[in-house]
Amino acid sequence: GVGYSLSGLVAQMRDNDMQWQQGEVTVKLAKAYGYCWGVERAVRMAYEARIANPDKKLYITNEIIHNPEVNQRLRELNVEIFEEDDGEQGKDYARISDGDVVIFPAFGATVQEMQLFKDEG
């Protein structure tokens, strides 16, 4: 998340009275910033799922959140993300096998997806 960096701009701002200045431009960091609780929780759970299941295939039924950097980091951890599909067939979950881990994104899943995975167990 936004507040996790130990050396980035936000970390520097926290160490400098919550602001950054260059020339005549001053940027102030809000007291409360970052992702909402549900998004933070979803991202943390996805990372924890990878740690808890190092040898299993992990899938997310869509981007975990609408943030390319977070989704790329998950891909780097070998978490496969089913991209949005505009076709009439929908997403093809056939490659998910028994024992694989399926994660739903922070903003949920369709009723059809929930029923499909409930039926599959």
Side-chain angles (χ1 to χ4, degrees):
V2 173
Y4 296 141
S5 172
L6 299 177
S7 60
L9 182 58
V10 172
Q12 293 172 34
M13 292 173 78
R14 284 193 308 254
D15 292 341
N16 192 36
D17 197 29
M18 302 299 273
Q19 61 183 0
W20 174 81
Q21 187 169 4
Q22 183 169 1
E24 295 181 18
V25 176
T26 300
V27 177
K28 294 186 178 189
L29 187 64
K31 290 181 183 179
Y33 63 91
Y35 302 123
C36 70
W37 178 85
V39 168
E40 284 281 347
R41 182 173 179 262
V43 172
R44 185 176 56 249
M45 288 175 73
Y47 289 145
E48 289 171 355
R50 170 44 70 210
I51 292 167
N53 301 282
D55 299 325
K56 291 188 176 186
K57 290 184 180 180
L58 267 69
Y59 298 93
I60 301 176
T61 61
N62 206 339
E63 294 180 329
I64 192 77
I65 63 172
H66 299 302
N67 180 301
E69 289 83 16
V70 170
N71 292 309
Q72 181 58 38
R73 176 68 180 126
L74 289 167
R75 286 184 186 97
E76 291 167 3
L77 294 172
N78 294 318
V79 177
E80 186 171 336
I81 299 172
F82 285 91
E83 300 293 337
E84 198 61 44
D85 185 354
D86 293 331
E88 290 183 24
Q89 299 299 318
K91 298 175 189 171
D92 181 11
Y93 295 120
R95 64 180 171 268
I96 298 174
S97 301
D98 286 345
D100 293 344
V101 177
V102 177
I103 302 167
F104 295 105
F107 44 85
T110 67
V111 172
Q112 294 83 359
E113 287 174 322
M114 296 298 290
Q115 187 63 49
L116 171 74
F117 287 104
K118 180 180 178 186
D119 292 347
E120 293 292 323

